[in-house]
Amino acid sequence: MVQWTSVVGAAQLARLLTSQQDRPAGPGTRRPPAYRALADGIRLLVLEGRVPVAARLPAERELALALAVSRTTVAAAYEALRGEGFLESRRGAGSWTAVPAGNPIPARGLEPLPPEALGSMIDLGCASLPAPEPWLTRAVQGALEELPPYAHTHGDYPAGLPALRSMIAERYTARGIPTMPEQIMVTTGAMGAIDAICHLFGGRGERIAVESPSYANILQLMREAGARLVPVAMAEGLSGWDMDRWRQVLREAAPRIAYVVADFHNPTGALADEDQRRRLVDAARSAGTVLVADETMSELWLDEDVRDAMPRPVCGFDPAGSTVITVGSASKAFWAGMRIGWVRAAPDVIRSLVAARAYADLGTPVLEQLAVNWLFSTGGWAQAVELRRAQARENRDALVAAVRRELPDWEFEVPRGGLTLWVRAGGLSGSRLAEAGERTGVRVPSGPRFGVDGAFEGYVRLPFTVGGAVADEAASRLAAAARLVESGATGATESPRTFVA
């Protein structure tokens, strides 16, 4: 049985390894032997997620030619990686990347802290802000006024309230994507939407292609559904998708589903441009892959010049509606406690999702649907989201300034929207930082929680949920945690069952 789920070509791996040479070495650093430098380079690529776990590496001779080194050097590097647990091999199947058996494979993120713990611990685990008042209260009051007619019915609306389905369809139409109510199903948050899609299209054992890194909770949902995750590394910085890698994975792995966040990607904040969206839809259509586009961050642009330059939605490049399924939600743009999501798809797909729902949650709470419909129909949504943008923008700027001051060796690019900052932690272990942070009073999710099988060890995710003096204190506590890691003073403790929002 083949143990790898993707392939890294010799030329591609050579380019990635060469890019590492631009990183300056510390003063007095001795140059390691060639095989050791090559092994360390591949190991770093795996830990950073730029080469996915379970990716087949080139044959020794091919990589030697691409790097202009001896085959003996490549063979020695591969042997060193096997000894360290970063490479597995089998005669006739080649060699593929792995993570050491002793390394814990992350499964979840961080549970939201209980209110009584907030006085002593700064929570950077959940990328969620408090409700944008007074709009939550007004929406609930408006929903209560609309409730009486619905109270005289059975209250079960498996596809969602007709009024809300029509309103969501109108919003897509206003964005230039003609949509009928029959193309909309209301769900219990975006998680409920993607869970339904995975059960309909991605049975146990099916391959699902995901961005690497990707949203931690979705990765865990797919794992628990029995999917085989195929990671596809993001392009450098905030430039969106690496289309060469996507085409290769879609062609060679033939995943049943591909899950992407095109708008202010969680966790990196990247924004895919229109050309990338068009090419990905075309590639998915050619491969027979269902492309699930998560739009939960699409309205959270934070810089004014981004507003008028936002690319068309991914579904705008699928006029026949045969390839793209779109997922939206009120939870990020409005409030995490408002568990209303939706699916936009072809009518036959919506009918199948609705039919399957009878064996799941039956429907979404009526009162919350009425509250979201009130926001959409009165203009309250636009004003609430503008308040949310202002909060996130202020918090982002405060957090960026604090981290740059307290942790100048940490590397990141500032996203133009979304709710998260994806940070390379100066060569430190993200898992150890998360552990040390528990001791210094700051909760932070480590990078591997957003990767497949332990990738991104050198990263942490920082959300835009604190600002002002709290952001300053959070950065100070992170710096204290970094000093603990550098000194080797962190202790080995069992990781709690955790959740990332």
Side-chain angles (χ1 to χ4, degrees):
M1 180 179 177
V2 176
Q3 300 297 312
W4 46 268
T5 58
S6 61
V7 177
V8 179
Q12 177 188 355
L13 183 56
R15 288 195 302 271
L16 292 171
L17 289 166
T18 301
S19 70
Q20 295 178 339
Q21 297 175 3
D22 297 332
R23 299 183 183 185
T29 301
R30 297 179 59 186
R31 183 179 296 275
Y35 86 89
R36 184 68 262 174
L38 176 55
D40 288 344
I42 295 174
R43 177 178 55 82
L44 181 60
L45 289 172
V46 173
L47 290 176
E48 289 184 340
R50 297 172 69 193
V51 168
V53 175
R56 187 172 64 128
L57 294 186
E60 295 170 2
R61 187 184 305 277
E62 294 176 0
L63 185 57
L65 287 172
L67 293 172
V69 300
S70 71
R71 183 177 176 181
T72 301
T73 296
V74 177
Y78 278 14
E79 183 59 33
L81 290 168
R82 277 189 288 269
E84 296 164 4
F86 285 95
L87 196 69
E88 296 181 11
S89 303
R90 195 179 70 199
R91 185 178 298 277
S95 299
W96 56 91
T97 56
V99 291
N103 284 22
I105 295 178
R108 303 184 191 275
L110 297 175
E111 286 180 346
L113 285 173
E116 61 270 18
L118 292 177
S120 59
M121 184 75 72
I122 298 175
D123 188 5
L124 297 182
C126 296
S128 301
L129 289 163
E133 289 289 25
W135 298 108
L136 174 61
T137 298
R138 292 180 182 177
V140 173
Q141 290 172 341
L144 287 172
E145 293 176 2
E146 299 292 332
L147 183 62
Y150 295 94
H152 294 292
T153 72
H154 48 65
D156 287 335
Y157 297 89
L161 294 183
L164 181 55
R165 295 177 72 194
S166 295
M167 182 61 66
I168 294 171
E170 289 176 14
R171 287 170 57 83
Y172 277 106
T173 300
R175 295 167 67 189
I177 315 296
T179 303
M180 304 179 295
E182 291 79 10
Q183 291 178 261
I184 301 296
M185 180 177 84
V186 181
T187 62
T188 306
M191 290 288 290
I194 294 170
D195 182 57
I197 294 166
C198 287
H199 279 88
L200 181 62
F201 290 99
R204 183 165 294 276
E206 291 279 5
R207 290 182 177 181
I208 300 180
V210 295
E211 296 153 321
S212 183
S214 187
Y215 179 34
N217 284 344
I218 295 298
L219 295 181
Q220 185 60 28
L221 182 156
M222 292 174 177
R223 289 187 190 103
E224 293 184 354
R228 298 175 61 192
L229 300 183
V230 182
V232 185
M234 299 286 287
E236 291 292 330
L238 300 177
S239 55
W241 300 319
D242 185 324
M243 289 310 305
D244 289 339
R245 295 183 186 181
W246 267 106
R247 279 194 296 267
Q248 182 181 34
V249 166
L250 292 173
R251 181 176 62 250
E252 297 178 356
R256 185 71 181 92
I257 299 173
Y259 168 77
V260 297
V261 183
D263 305 294
F264 311 120
H265 174 260
N266 185 352
T268 68
L271 178 65
D273 62 32
E274 287 212 1
D275 183 59
Q276 291 172 338
R277 297 172 192 227
R278 179 185 298 106
R279 292 162 64 193
L280 184 57
V281 171
D282 290 344
R285 184 183 298 115
S286 297
T289 298
V290 176
L291 184 59
V292 180
D294 186 334
E295 287 190 337
T296 54
M297 297 284 188
S298 64
E299 295 188 65
L300 289 176
W301 47 265
L302 302 183
D303 296 335
E304 289 296 329
D305 59 331
V306 177
R307 174 179 57 184
D308 297 328
M310 283 293 293
R312 281 182 290 168
V314 176
C315 59
F317 301 96
D318 181 38
S322 59
T323 299
V324 178
I325 297 178
T326 303
V327 172
S329 173
S331 298
K332 293 296 185 185
F334 185 75
W335 183 48
M338 187 67 77
R339 304 306 304 163
I340 298 294
W342 52 86
V343 177
R344 180 198 181 275
D348 61 322
V349 173
I350 294 297
R351 287 192 294 269
S352 296
L353 288 170
V354 171
R357 192 175 195 178
Y359 307 101
D361 64 352
L362 295 179
T364 303
V366 169
L367 187 62
E368 291 186 26
Q369 292 188 71
L370 289 171
V372 171
N373 192 59
W374 183 91
L375 288 165
F376 285 157
S377 60
T378 63
W381 176 269
Q383 295 183 66
V385 173
E386 182 55 41
L387 177 60
R388 169 67 72 241
R389 291 191 195 104
Q391 292 172 324
R393 184 185 306 116
E394 182 179 344
N395 289 353
R396 178 197 63 181
D397 295 346
L399 184 65
V400 165
V403 172
R404 283 177 171 165
R405 182 179 62 252
E406 297 288 342
L407 294 152
D409 293 337
W410 287 22
E411 302 171 50
F412 54 86
E413 292 191 40
V414 181
R416 313 297 302 280
L419 292 172
T420 56
L421 192 67
W422 185 237
V423 182
R424 182 185 283 120
L428 300 180
S429 161
S431 297
R432 291 189 177 92
L433 280 168
E435 179 185 352
E438 295 283 346
R439 301 171 59 185
T440 61
V442 57
R443 276 192 140 185
V444 57
S446 63
R449 300 188 185 280
F450 304 89
V452 175
D453 293 341
F456 303 105
E457 181 57 55
Y459 289 78
V460 293
R461 189 195 75 170
L462 306 180
F464 309 145
T465 52
V466 296
V470 180
D472 293 338
E473 180 62 22
S476 177
R477 295 184 187 186
L478 280 173
R483 289 191 292 271
L484 283 178
V485 174
E486 290 171 339
S487 68
T490 55
T493 58
E494 183 178 354
S495 298
R497 183 181 178 89
T498 51
F499 176 89
V500 168

